[in-house]
Amino acid sequence: MREPIEQRRRRILSVVESRGPVRVSDLAVELEVSVVTVRRDVEDLARAGRLRRGHGIARPVITAETTSGPAEPGGDLGAVALVVPERHSYLYETLHGARTVLEEAGVHIALHIAPKAPGTERLIVEKALAGGASGLLIAPRWRSAATEEADYAWLAALDVPTVIMERRPRPGSALHATDSVCSDHGYGVHLAVEHLVSLGHRRIVLAARDDSPTARAIRVAFARIAAERPEIEDAILVLSSPDAVADPAPETGRSAAPPLDLAAVLRERRATGAVLHGDEDAVMLVQRLADSGIRVPRDCSVVAYDDTVAGLSSTPLTAVAPPKAEVGRAAAELLIRRMGAGGAASGPVRRIELLPELKVRGSTQPPAEPPAQSATHPATQPPPESAL
């Protein structure tokens, strides 16, 4: 005889309340019904507020009687999948900030490092959720605008609480209504340009990457700010490194670009200030300037963007420092809040922006004379600007 629905659901509640989180597949075996039936029961019970559901898991409701403080519910929240790209020191600081909050809350962390190969992040996330992760913190690589757009739909369709770290999905996209925590890079560029302008620099170069959302935001912000500042006589935008662009399509056959001759750009445009993104490129470019006879800051003031290693340069570099660890902490706190509500809405979707700060060191000062052209280092046209 078929078991009445309410009786079956009472049994589900009894199992979850007595044992804690239980896989839907295990409940189906124990109740001798299909996984689809149990999943439907769990969804209805979750909507009624009688239990919480994760990806393939039913969890008991956390109440005031079962918790004794803000950090303790984490022990019942299950695992959080934390996904960041490989070899990305900037985002590793964000990762460590998130880890601190999750560990303090007693939440189990499943760290996943995503290789550069296209599509790997989606495969990693799907595997993590199938393994029982009930929340997701992710900083997608998004080397190009096209790869970013391609990820919007599947990330927006996930049925677990998700927070995007140090990325700002395009307004109006499928991922717009997903929680995100990001540095305000427009403000960071403002700090860099304002600092140089306040020192008297009127001809400024931005040598920036173009292979990440941060890089693209910096380039767009620089073009806008330079156009708005009447004090700026000339604003030049070039690539900071030949490998600073998103991977080209294989069929283009594009050859590698030559290294940026920043000294030639400075001489040609009589620029006395430069903003360099990111830190490693900035340190190497400053070394090349010295080899070309341009001294920092006497001949050119330099502001780095990232502040991961800028302070370790032979001339410690003034740098814009995004709040990397704080972004991770805020993202983890937001995710815990969502998971504590059983994935249900606990207030409006949040798109949080944290402001960078400027750390003034020894690489900036008022301008002297613009770098002179020389026969040894003739002026050349700067490399083509990549698309903003």
Side-chain angles (χ1 to χ4, degrees), residues 257-270:
L260 169 65
D261 188 347
L262 183 57
V265 175
L266 295 173
R267 291 189 173 99
E268 169 70 16
R269 306 299 283 263
R270 297 185 296 112

Side-chain angles (χ1 to χ4, degrees), residues 8 12 23-43 56-57:
R8 183 178 67 244
I12 291 173
R23 294 179 185 273
V24 168
S25 57
D26 293 339
L27 283 169
V29 172
E30 186 166 339
L31 296 167
E32 298 182 337
V33 294
S34 70
V35 171
V36 172
T37 297
V38 175
R39 184 180 297 120
R40 188 183 305 117
D41 288 341
V42 167
E43 290 173 353
I57 295 179

Side-chain angles (χ1 to χ4, degrees), residues 12-13 15-24 27 42 45-46 49-62 73-80 107 128-129 131-135 160-161 339-343:
I12 291 173
L13 287 171
V15 170
V16 172
E17 289 168 359
S18 63
R19 301 182 195 170
V22 182
R23 294 179 185 273
V24 168
L27 283 169
V42 167
L45 289 168
R50 301 174 71 183
L51 54 69
R52 299 182 301 116
R53 71 182 185 90
H55 191 85
I57 295 179
R59 305 178 185 281
V61 173
I62 298 175
D76 190 42
L77 293 181
V80 165
V107 177
L129 298 187
S134 52
V160 298
M339 293 170 67

Side-chain angles (χ1 to χ4, degrees), residues 136-147:
L136 173 65
L137 284 175
I138 183 169
R141 186 180 299 276
W142 287 349
R143 283 180 60 86
S144 68
T147 58

Side-chain angles (χ1 to χ4, degrees), residues 67-268:
T67 63
S68 58
E72 290 193 10
D76 190 42
L77 293 181
V80 165
L82 184 51
V83 182
V84 295
E86 67 173 341
R87 298 186 179 89
H88 205 303
S89 58
Y90 179 106
L91 288 175
Y92 287 173
E93 290 191 45
T94 304
L95 180 159
H96 290 308
R99 185 188 68 179
T100 299
V101 171
L102 295 171
E103 288 179 346
E104 289 176 353
V107 177
H108 176 69
I109 304 167
L111 174 62
H112 301 274
I113 306 297
K116 290 183 180 180
T120 54
E121 287 164 326
R122 181 173 185 175
L123 294 174
I124 287 171
V125 169
E126 290 175 346
K127 185 175 180 179
L129 298 187
S134 52
L136 173 65
L137 284 175
I138 183 169
R141 186 180 299 276
W142 287 349
R143 283 180 60 86
S144 68
T147 58
E148 178 177 337
E149 291 280 345
D151 281 346
Y152 283 170
W154 70 265
L155 279 169
L158 297 176
D159 63 352
V160 298
T162 298
V163 179
I164 310 296
M165 299 188 299
E166 199 57 301
R167 301 290 185 251
R168 176 66 71 239
R170 177 179 56 80
S173 68
L175 207 56
H176 191 170
T178 298
D179 290 314
S180 61
V181 181
C182 183
S183 300
D184 185 345
H185 296 298
Y187 182 72
V189 175
H190 161 77
L191 290 176
V193 173
E194 178 65 28
H195 178 63
L196 291 172
V197 169
S198 70
L199 291 172
H201 298 278
R202 299 294 181 261
R203 307 177 74 85
I204 302 172
V205 173
L206 169 67
R209 305 186 68 84
D210 192 24
D211 57 357
S212 73
T214 296
R216 293 188 289 276
I218 289 170
R219 295 167 69 84
V220 170
F222 179 80
R224 173 181 55 79
I225 292 170
E228 294 171 351
R229 296 296 298 260
E231 308 97 318
I232 298 178
E233 299 173 5
D234 193 20
I236 311 99
L237 196 159
V238 295
L239 281 172
S240 58
S241 171
D243 66 349
V245 294
D247 294 328
E251 61 271 14
T252 63
R254 186 172 67 185
S255 59
L260 169 65
D261 188 347
L262 183 57
V265 175
L266 295 173
R267 291 189 173 99
E268 169 70 16

